[in-house]
Amino acid sequence: MITGDLLHVRPSDLTIRTLGQPRFDSPMTELIAGRRNSANYVRDTDQVLLDDTLETALRRGVPIDELPAFEPGGPRPRLYFDPAETRVGVVTCGGLCPGLNNVIRGLVVELTEHYGIDSIVGFRNGYRGLTEAGDKETVELTPAAVHDIHTKGGTVLGTSRGNQDPQEMVDTLVRRGISILFVIGGDGSLRGAQQLADVAADRGVELSVVGVPKTIDNDIPFIDHSFGFQTAFARAAESIRAAHTEAMSTPNGIGLVKLMGRHSGFIASYAALANHDVDFVLIPEVPFKLEGERGFLNQLRQRVARRGNAVVVVAEGAGQDLLQPTTGTDASGNRRLADIGQLLRDRITNHFERAGIETTLRYVDPGYAIRSVPANAPDGVYCIRLAQAAVHAALAGRTAMVVGRWHGRFVHVPISLATGSRNQVDPHGDLWLAVLEATGQPSSFS
């Protein structure tokens, strides 16, 4: 579910900003020439419709050629930048996520091997590396330097949270002679990328800013899913399996697993579906009560009585209304969350003690262990294809946009659209219904 009504999205909302008319022939001609299928150059008239159902499209009441559609991703026959004269920058921002190194490697390989660009600068420690002070620690990214980084977790460029002055960052890019900047980051980082593109445009600087959206929570809208997500829920499923083993090993055992998901319960939902041992899933999109006949604690006690054990999965942003509100924000501007995992651990333990039932509760919080692992095979494929799409877009002069996949096609999405809402689990949608079916939990705890 995307926050907001898709019917309010207009064709103009999907328009991609360009730096100007293409001026140079693409060096990929030799690779693409003679191929008949999807490897051909992309035609801008080959639009990818926003709507995925006939009913939604018909409700707009407009002709087919006026339906909102994304610009397709892929190589173009003509480029805005001359690869022989182009210098590129790459920066990773925000929290860790599986696949960061894969994207960096994919960018470098595509730029060098297929476009002949041999000047690629890696800015260290996020946007701090684009300040005058941080600019001293840049690294040259070459195929040799990145040949095996995809086997490692984290990011070889380092990262940071927090804002920097966009004017100062553009100064750095101009001083370095950077024409293209790839920003690998989440919604806060992408808003920063939008500022960079805007400042450059206001100052008449020819700068393409292209984002590769990163969020382990899978909450960036208008893309099918974000990179690192598949790795995250696969590793989360392993933690659930361990919690289930612990729960089965003691009388009335309970495994409690807290997973990532500040506002969206995708990791919790998918990890539970990937693992068939989960009894309850609690996510931010579905409020719940603890006490009462139909409350969560009583339902949990009944499940343990029937099965002898239970496993509970909770997303970090779930149940915040049950906790004392926190104050302040982190360096990325996100509101600090209260710890729902500790609350559930204490309330579950107290509830069973009051009922006179002996139990053993194992609490697992694998968040940082999941964030730091290398990407698995499916994510590795997705990362390199995102990197390729980002390079094609930037060389063609696109800016203030991110690459993603929509209905299975790689597309260009304006940053303003990608950061203007949030992707969330629809409590009335088929994903949450699948979770309810798999766990057997009630549709609500009231």
Side-chain angles (χ1 to χ4, degrees):
M1 176 181 73
I2 296 172
T3 304
D5 188 352
L6 286 183
L7 286 174
H8 290 164
V9 177
R10 299 163 298 179
S12 59
D13 296 326
L14 306 183
T15 301
I16 298 298
R17 190 192 304 180
T18 64
L19 297 176
Q21 290 297 316
R23 304 172 291 186
F24 304 95
D25 291 332
S26 172
M28 291 191 66
T29 300
E30 182 177 349
L31 176 66
I32 292 179
R35 301 182 68 87
R36 294 189 299 271
N37 298 317
S38 59
N40 287 335
Y41 283 124
V42 172
R43 303 185 309 276
D44 291 338
T45 55
D46 178 21
Q47 302 286 289
V48 180
L49 291 178
L50 171 67
D51 302 321
D52 64 347
T53 66
L54 179 62
E55 179 183 4
T56 305
L58 290 175
R59 286 175 63 188
R60 295 185 183 276
V62 299
I64 292 177
D65 59 357
E66 295 181 15
L67 291 172
F70 291 104
E71 181 179 81
R76 266 71 179 171
R78 298 276 288 172
L79 307 179
Y80 182 80
F81 292 105
D82 180 0
E85 303 294 331
T86 299
R87 190 165 171 80
V88 174
V90 180
V91 63
T92 55
C93 306
L96 293 182
C97 175
L100 285 166
N101 284 333
N102 299 65
V103 175
I104 296 170
R105 183 181 183 276
L107 292 171
V108 174
V109 171
E110 186 69 17
L111 287 164
T112 56
E113 298 297 326
H114 297 302
Y115 284 97
I117 295 175
D118 58 7
S119 182
I120 308 170
V121 177
F123 292 96
R124 291 190 53 77
N125 301 321
Y127 283 141
R128 292 182 187 176
L130 291 172
T131 64
E132 186 174 356
D135 181 36
K136 299 179 178 62
E137 300 183 19
T138 58
V139 296
E140 290 295 325
L141 296 175
T142 65
V146 303
H147 79 281
D148 65 346
I149 64 172
H150 60 293
T151 64
K152 303 177 176 66
T155 164
V156 294
L157 294 179
T159 186
S160 68
R161 296 181 184 272
N163 299 322
Q164 305 295 335
D165 180 9
Q167 296 284 353
E168 182 182 2
M169 291 193 286
V170 171
D171 288 341
T172 298
L173 295 170
V174 171
R175 185 172 62 252
R176 284 276 185 167
I178 302 296
S179 301
I180 295 172
L181 179 69
F182 294 106
V183 177
I184 310 169
D187 56 353
S189 305
L190 296 176
R191 291 189 185 96
Q194 179 77 57
Q195 290 180 321
L196 290 173
D198 292 344
V199 168
D202 290 343
R203 290 168 51 172
V205 175
E206 288 194 332
L207 175 68
S208 168
V209 182
V210 173
V212 181
K214 167 203 69 71
T215 166
I216 203 167
D217 294 345
N218 198 41
D219 59 358
I220 291 182
F222 300 103
I223 59 175
D224 289 344
H225 67 272
S226 53
F227 78 82
F229 172 65
Q230 294 189 73
T231 304
F233 79 73
R235 292 300 294 259
E238 295 177 10
S239 297
I240 293 172
R241 187 174 299 110
H244 180 245
T245 299
E246 289 281 352
M248 290 193 304
S249 301
T250 58
N252 303 318
I254 298 173
L256 173 61
V257 183
K258 185 178 80 169
L259 298 175
M260 297 79 71
R262 293 183 58 86
H263 305 284
S264 305
F266 286 106
I267 290 181
S269 297
Y270 274 82
L273 292 173
N275 185 298
H276 301 280
D277 302 320
V278 178
D279 297 275
F280 299 96
V281 179
L282 306 174
I283 61 174
E285 297 89 336
V286 182
F288 61 93
K289 292 184 178 180
L290 292 176
E291 303 294 346
E293 180 66 24
R294 294 179 56 82
F296 166 72
L297 293 173
N298 195 53
Q299 294 291 327
L300 173 62
R301 179 162 55 86
Q302 293 179 23
R303 183 69 61 92
V304 171
R306 288 200 310 271
R307 297 188 178 178
N309 56 75
V311 174
V312 180
V313 172
V314 59
E316 62 182 323
Q320 292 297 301
D321 59 308
L322 304 174
L323 296 133
Q324 289 294 326
T326 57
T327 59
T329 59
D330 62 21
S332 296
N334 299 311
R335 180 176 64 88
R336 296 188 186 279
L337 297 177
D339 195 334
I340 185 62
Q342 289 189 17
L343 174 74
L344 288 178
R345 180 182 60 185
D346 295 342
R347 296 291 293 271
I348 291 171
T349 301
N350 292 338
H351 179 83
F352 276 75
E353 285 179 353
R354 291 197 307 269
I357 302 173
E358 177 187 359
T359 185
T360 301
L361 187 148
R362 303 297 188 193
Y363 176 43
V364 181
D365 181 358
Y368 288 105
I370 292 173
R371 290 180 184 277
S372 62
V373 301
N376 63 13
D379 262 327
V381 173
Y382 189 41
C383 286
I384 194 169
R385 297 201 65 190
L386 285 171
Q388 292 166 347
V391 170
H392 299 321
L395 265 296
R398 272 52 175 181
T399 189
M401 54 147 286
V402 302
V403 290
R405 193 160 57 188
W406 186 251
H407 306 330
R409 290 283 305 278
F410 285 90
V411 297
H412 300 165
V413 183
I415 290 178
S416 57
L417 192 67
T419 58
S421 59
R422 178 173 286 114
N423 201 25
Q424 292 183 295
V425 176
D426 183 355
H428 305 288
D430 61 344
L431 173 60
W432 187 241
L433 177 60
V435 171
L436 297 179
E437 291 179 283
T439 61
Q441 72 186 68
S443 58
S444 66
F445 300 104
S446 57

